[in-house]
Amino acid sequence: GFSFKYLQERLETELATGIAGDLGLLCDFPLKDVAMRVGVAAQHLGQGLDYYGDRPQLPQTYALGVSAMTRRFWGDPVTLSVEAREAIDNNLDFSVGTECWINPVIALRAGYHSGDDLGSGIRAGLGLKIKALQFDYGLSLMGSFGVPHRAGISYRIGAAAEKQHVPARLP
């Protein structure tokens, strides 16, 4: 997949503009009892914002991730994932995590993220899905920065909303 971005920012009377894009590739590798996925992404490719003829580089980021899903937890799907990410102006960081769906309604999530500017640490969350409506909640343990909470609500429109979360190829 790909996306293009038109960037615009105003500082007092100066208007800066730029163009950027993201590229990504996701490949499925269905194995006997496991649905495996590998993804690569390049983000923030392109020119930075032009201020007074100076165009600093965007924070280009490159990522590689692998996930494996199986039905091993009381017949419900469990996903394990690992991601390595490097920003051009930062160090390499990594994330590991798991998600377990209980029926197609409740998702329990836990993981660890390293290398964050605000602090590495444990992440946890849950999701609730009722037909096309989904609520997601997460928290992060970030040491002296406290415990940030994140919440989101999404609604899927169309035929895909009626499909079950689990791919049909798993037994």
Side-chain angles (χ1 to χ4, degrees), residues 35-50:
M36 184 165 253
R37 288 185 144 176
V38 176
V40 294
Q43 299 172 301
H44 314 302
L45 304 173
Q47 54 183 325
L49 297 171
D50 183 9

Side-chain angles (χ1 to χ4, degrees), residues 98-163:
T98 186
E99 176 186 73
C100 176
W101 279 90
I102 301 171
N103 293 321
V105 178
I106 300 172
L108 302 175
R109 302 178 181 118
Y112 178 81
H113 180 76
S114 78
D116 199 329
D117 288 345
L118 298 177
S120 301
I122 295 172
R123 313 296 204 240
L126 63 91
L128 298 172
K129 184 175 172 184
I130 301 170
K131 294 189 179 187
L133 185 65
Q134 183 167 332
F135 170 77
D136 292 297
Y137 168 78
L139 62 90
S140 305
L141 303 178
M142 300 180 89
S144 61
F145 288 103
V147 182
H149 302 266
R150 295 180 175 100
I153 296 174
S154 60
Y155 182 79
R156 298 187 188 269
I157 299 171
E162 297 301 320
K163 290 183 180 179

